[in-house]
Amino acid sequence: MKIILLLSVIILGTFGCLPQPEPEKLQQIVTEIETKNTNMTDLDWAKYEADIVTLSAEYEKNKETLSPEQRQEWNKLMGKYKAQQIKRGVDKLKLEMKDLGEQAESFIEELTK
């Protein structure tokens, strides 16, 4: 009986030592992106993306041990992050379309000379 109890304590202690996802770090990233989104460079985005990949790997390893509230909070933050990614993509597309429009104008001007 003592052996089973000791093994249980060791196993639970080992699971308690596993790296856990860091919702505070994810919250910090999301907040920074929300406030700096329009001024961020591709290098800024790459840094955040690397951090998100690391945090997501930890989340996937440990999500079964998280409470429903913790999982819900994680998913909410990831949704906000993905929305900011899409917003960035749309903003970049708008700039590219503007550039294309300006190029088309000069193209037409050159053809009509």
Side-chain angles (χ1 to χ4, degrees):
M1 183 69 164
K2 289 181 182 181
I3 292 176
I4 293 174
L5 183 60
L6 180 62
L7 287 175
S8 298
V9 169
I10 291 172
I11 290 172
L12 290 175
T14 302
F15 284 123
C17 295
L18 290 175
Q20 295 290 314
E22 300 179 55
E24 299 83 21
K25 177 71 174 171
L26 181 58
Q27 177 66 58
Q28 176 188 358
I29 290 170
V30 169
T31 300
E32 288 176 16
I33 290 172
E34 286 175 335
T35 57
K36 299 190 287 187
N37 190 347
T38 56
N39 298 321
M40 288 176 47
T41 66
D42 288 340
L43 189 59
D44 294 330
W45 275 101
K47 178 194 165 293
Y48 286 125
E49 181 64 27
D51 289 344
I52 292 290
V53 167
T54 302
L55 292 172
S56 293
E58 290 303 317
Y59 173 78
E60 287 301 319
K61 282 190 242 177
N62 295 289
K63 73 180 178 182
E64 297 302 321
T65 64
L66 300 176
S67 70
E69 294 81 18
Q70 289 170 314
R71 290 176 73 164
Q72 183 179 19
E73 180 64 17
W74 179 269
N75 290 327
K76 177 182 164 189
L77 291 169
M78 283 303 291
K80 286 183 172 188
Y81 172 74
K82 291 176 190 242
Q84 289 297 323
Q85 278 185 312
I86 291 171
K87 182 178 177 187
R88 176 177 180 255
V90 169
D91 290 344
K92 285 181 83 172
L93 181 60
K94 285 179 187 177
L95 286 174
E96 289 176 16
M97 295 300 290
K98 181 181 175 198
D99 289 345
L100 184 60
E102 291 170 358
Q103 292 170 13
E105 286 177 22
S106 64
F107 177 77
I108 292 170
E109 286 175 14
E110 284 298 313
L111 286 177
T112 57
K113 281 186 181 179

